[in-house]
Amino acid sequence: MSDAATDVEQSSDGKDTSATLRKMLRPAKGVRGAADLSLERVTDEVFRKTAKSLLKLDLVVDEFSVTRKSFSDAWAGRPKICLNMSTTNDAGEMGIFILDGALIDGLIEQQLLGHVAKAPRADRPVTRIDAELSRRFITAILKAYSATLAAEPSARAVCGFSGPVMETDLAALKLTMTAPSYSVLCVFLDLGPGQKSGQAQIWFPVTQQQSDDDTPAREPVWEATIKNRISSARLEVRAMLPPIKVPLSFVMNLKEGEFLPVPLETLSRAVLKDVSGNPVASGRIGQLNGSRAFRVDSSNLSSALPAAPKPYAPPPQPELPQASQPTAKPEPEVDAAPSELPDLPSLAELQAQQDEAVAEGS
């Protein structure tokens, strides 16, 4: 933080303009829980009484606020030069207590000199000596919060933090801060008063359970109004008949004005659907006071689904007369072969018979 930022600026009429600028630039308060409201209620008392009793320091709380932020947003809002002191509670949850450079100097001067000097802060980094001389004040502030809010169960999330430890490795510190969000208490202090102005920040981790508990409950009147408006909204529904089957030739020959015959049993298996095609109820199509009507038989969505079409089965074929079979003719009987056949004549005998036949013919 620059020297100009740490000094109290005054206008020509002697009024403090830094506090005015802070109020003009103050961001709007975000979502806060019961513990955050308790912090705001006791912060002025805790800081003033602790500074007076511990250091005999007249301290004025100029302005303070509690805002829930993500780690990245809270980290971006730290002072440029500051002391980062990590703190833990009995559950092992980790928070941070931050003092800017001007506030560190004022606390040290009060302890060493007995008063806060008006001299501007020297441009120097924060050291471990600064941490040791500020530790008593940080510990006392955390202890005062725990003692003041101990009787409030809703403020349990901001109680029990102690053991401040200086953090110099900022990269490692970022890795250990794993809460979903933090309740960031930002306090602007006037030391002296009128000698130095500084800033302190305390980050309390917010668990998921705390976020759920702090969600504001809806008023019954509001819920009833929303319910009535939703219930009175217009919703288009359609009564759908189950599919029927007709021959293709019938469909191809349809003409304007012709009627499509619908089996009566399909009227009792109608389904009421919304515009998205989701079934609402099943029932029957009929008449009421001269108008078409849908009578709901069941509001069960599973029963509202149309019955699955039956698998296709070919129509039964008529039985054809059996053709007469031709009578088979009996095969002619064959005489049984003789058991013994005579021997054939020899070649010499056949040659003699042939010679005799030739001689007789001549």
Side-chain angles (χ1 to χ4, degrees):
M1 181 178 292
S2 63
D3 298 339
T6 59
D7 292 337
V8 177
E9 299 179 1
Q10 293 185 348
S11 60
S12 57
D13 55 0
K15 294 183 178 180
D16 181 8
T17 59
S18 60
T20 304
L21 290 175
R22 285 198 298 269
K23 292 180 181 179
M24 293 174 62
L25 299 175
R26 179 174 53 188
K29 295 181 179 179
V31 178
R32 295 180 297 171
D36 304 330
L37 298 178
S38 298
L39 278 176
E40 286 192 340
R41 180 169 49 81
V42 302
T43 287
D44 182 83
E45 177 185 356
V46 165
F47 271 84
R48 284 191 302 102
K49 287 188 175 181
T50 302
K52 188 66 174 179
S53 61
L54 182 68
L55 304 176
K56 296 183 175 56
L57 172 63
D58 293 325
L59 179 147
V60 176
V61 179
D62 252 354
E63 182 186 353
F64 60 90
S65 63
V66 182
T67 307
R68 289 197 176 181
K69 299 180 180 180
S70 65
F71 176 79
S72 57
D73 291 342
W75 191 263
R78 294 183 314 126
K80 183 178 179 181
I81 297 178
C82 62
L83 170 65
N84 303 289
M85 301 284 280
S86 63
T87 62
T88 55
N89 61 8
D90 297 337
E93 297 169 334
M94 185 174 177
I96 302 180
F97 201 121
I98 298 174
L99 301 177
D100 72 353
L103 188 53
I104 294 171
D105 285 355
L107 295 175
I108 294 176
E109 291 166 354
Q110 180 67 23
Q111 295 179 73
L112 300 182
L113 305 177
H115 67 274
V116 177
K118 194 175 179 59
R121 171 179 170 79
D123 188 9
R124 63 176 182 82
V126 177
T127 65
R128 292 192 178 276
I129 296 178
D130 297 330
E132 291 302 322
L133 292 176
S134 303
R135 189 186 305 278
R136 276 205 314 154
F137 178 74
I138 294 174
T139 302
I141 291 290
L142 294 174
K143 186 176 180 179
Y145 273 120
S146 298
T148 306
L149 301 175
E152 300 183 22
S154 59
R156 198 170 299 165
V158 296
C159 297
F161 284 87
S162 60
V165 177
M166 181 181 183
E167 299 290 345
T168 56
D169 190 345
L170 299 185
L173 179 61
K174 290 181 179 180
L175 295 177
T176 56
M177 305 296 290
T178 57
S181 60
Y182 291 86
S183 290
V184 179
L185 170 63
C186 186
V187 187
F188 292 94
L189 304 171
D190 186 7
L191 308 180
Q195 300 297 100
K196 277 186 172 66
S197 61
Q199 178 187 172
Q201 292 185 12
I202 311 177
W203 299 9
F204 297 98
V206 178
T207 62
Q208 186 62 47
Q209 181 64 37
Q210 290 169 335
S211 299
D212 297 339
D213 294 342
D214 293 334
T215 302
R218 296 175 178 175
E219 298 180 359
V221 176
W222 184 88
E223 288 191 349
T225 302
I226 294 298
K227 183 177 180 179
N228 292 335
R229 290 185 179 180
I230 294 177
S231 300
S232 61
R234 305 290 294 180
L235 176 64
E236 179 182 347
V237 292
R238 302 172 183 176
M240 311 293 293
L241 295 176
I244 59 173
K245 292 185 178 182
V246 294
L248 178 60
S249 58
F250 180 84
V251 177
M252 295 178 63
N253 295 325
L254 278 176
K255 297 179 182 178
E256 184 178 355
E258 290 187 345
F259 292 93
L260 179 66
V262 177
L264 291 179
E265 62 268 15
T266 60
L267 300 180
S268 63
R269 295 191 291 117
V271 177
L272 204 63
K273 296 184 178 182
D274 61 15
V275 292
S276 300
N278 301 313
V280 177
S282 62
R284 177 188 298 271
I285 295 290
Q287 275 190 333
L288 179 65
N289 299 329
S291 302
R292 288 294 180 188
F294 183 92
R295 180 176 180 178
V296 177
D297 292 338
S298 173
S299 60
N300 187 356
L301 298 184
S302 60
S303 62
L305 295 173
K310 297 180 179 180
Y312 172 77
Q317 298 295 332
E319 294 185 2
L320 298 177
Q322 297 292 334
S324 58
Q325 300 293 335
T327 305
K329 295 181 179 181
E331 294 182 359
E333 295 182 1
V334 180
D335 294 337
S339 58
E340 293 184 2
L341 294 177
D343 293 337
L344 294 176
S346 63
L347 294 178
E349 292 178 354
L350 290 176
Q351 185 64 39
Q353 293 176 3
Q354 184 176 6
D355 293 342
E356 291 178 0
V358 172
E360 291 178 357
S362 60

